[in-house]
Amino acid sequence: AQSVTQPDIHITVSEGASLELRCNYSYGATPYLFWYVQSPGQGLQLLLKYFSGDTLVQGIKGFEAEFKRSQSSFNLRKPSVHWSDAAEYFCAVGPYNTDKLIFGTGTRLQVFP
Amino acid sequence: GAVVSQHPSWVICKSGTSVKIECRSLDFQATTMFWYRQFPKQSLMLMATSNEGSKATYEQGVEKDKFLINHASLTLSTLTVTSAHPEDSSFYICSASKGRSNQPQHFGDGTRLSIL
């Protein structure tokens, strides 16, 4: 069955530190991969997506993610975190033959000054 | 581009009433719209997928008669929670896509529903 795992429920970093949020997926083929961010009480905003091609994708707000087929991973990174990055981050998989999304359980990011 | 508007953002009502939530794609035609429910500090649970002009497809365990979905145009889908009860209180989020598998979903800001 298709699934998405975000191993880290909660991460705390200091402002200015680097960040990596982990995402692993289970799918028979190469899926479409997404990272979304959700601020409290709001909907989800698309940070970046991977469909094919270059395995390192750039997104908005200085985020990037790298697709590693051998590890079935799509980890999100940012070199220097800002206090405004504090939010919930969701990794999602879109199977090839459907426009549905399968979401991970999310990682809550806290940023300390 | 790809803006989705969801209204209302917050509603409180008495038990037994019906509540309608609207989801509009403002600058693109949304062939497919999705309705999610999110419990506190949890991920999104897909409730149903709606395609313009056809009946919605509900996920297993979601009551069709309880959660009525209409997708009458390429820019508007509505979710009506009928005879709402306190256990229906939740955060409901819609999303819209252009209907192809390589198109991302664009999300509304959600509706906080509180049933007293």
Side-chain angles (χ1 to χ4, degrees):
Chain A
Q2 301 144 5
S3 66
V4 180
T5 302
Q6 292 181 248
D8 305 303
I9 297 173
H10 187 195
I11 284 183
T12 302
V13 299
S14 298
E15 190 170 20
S18 63
L19 173 71
E20 182 168 30
L21 302 182
R22 296 182 291 166
C23 173
N24 293 95
Y25 67 90
S26 173
Y27 183 63
T30 300
Y32 300 132
L33 296 159
F34 306 83
W35 274 99
Y36 286 87
V37 60
Q38 183 182 31
S39 296
Q42 295 188 20
L44 277 67
Q45 181 182 23
L46 178 68
L47 285 176
L48 47 78
K49 60 185 183 288
Y50 172 77
F51 293 151
S52 65
D54 193 347
T55 56
L56 184 63
V57 293
Q58 303 295 321
I60 62 171
K61 304 185 179 186
F63 285 94
E64 66 177 26
E66 186 171 13
F67 169 61
K68 292 186 178 179
R69 184 191 306 274
S70 61
Q71 298 176 19
S72 296
S73 69
F74 189 55
N75 294 347
L76 181 71
R77 300 195 294 250
K78 186 168 184 177
S80 178
V81 171
H82 189 262
W83 65 266
S84 60
D85 293 324
E88 188 87 20
Y89 291 80
F90 292 98
C91 179
V93 165
Y96 179 76
N97 59 348
T98 174
D99 48 7
K100 287 186 180 181
L101 288 178
I102 301 168
F103 283 90
T105 50
T107 297
R108 181 172 168 234
L109 174 65
Q110 268 191 307
V111 181
F112 282 108
Chain B
V3 178
V4 175
S5 173
Q6 189 171 340
H7 179 80
S9 57
W10 187 34
V11 58
I12 301 175
C13 60
K14 293 181 179 179
S15 183
T17 58
S18 293
V19 179
K20 180 184 283 189
I21 302 170
E22 292 188 348
C23 181
R24 294 181 184 272
S25 57
L26 299 185
D27 53 359
F28 68 101
Q29 292 187 327
T31 307
T32 308
M33 286 186 170
F34 304 84
W35 288 95
Y36 295 86
R37 183 172 180 176
Q38 186 179 31
F39 293 99
K41 298 186 179 181
Q42 293 189 27
S43 189
L44 283 72
M45 181 191 78
L46 179 64
M47 299 174 65
T49 304
S50 74
N51 292 290
E52 183 265 338
S54 60
K55 289 184 179 180
T57 302
Y58 290 81
E59 296 298 303
Q60 192 171 9
V62 178
E63 299 176 60
K64 300 179 184 180
D65 296 331
K66 177 72 166 177
F67 300 100
L68 300 179
I69 291 172
N70 182 275
H71 192 164
S73 77
L74 284 172
T75 59
L76 174 65
S77 175
T78 60
L79 167 68
T80 301
V81 184
T82 61
S83 187
H85 292 283
E87 59 266 29
D88 299 323
S89 298
S90 193
F91 192 58
Y92 293 88
I93 308 176
C94 74
S95 72
S97 82
K98 296 178 182 177
R100 296 188 293 277
S101 58
N102 63 351
Q103 293 292 326
Q105 292 182 24
H106 301 281
F107 288 80
D109 282 339
T111 297
R112 172 76 55 197
L113 175 62
S114 297
I115 309 298
L116 304 177

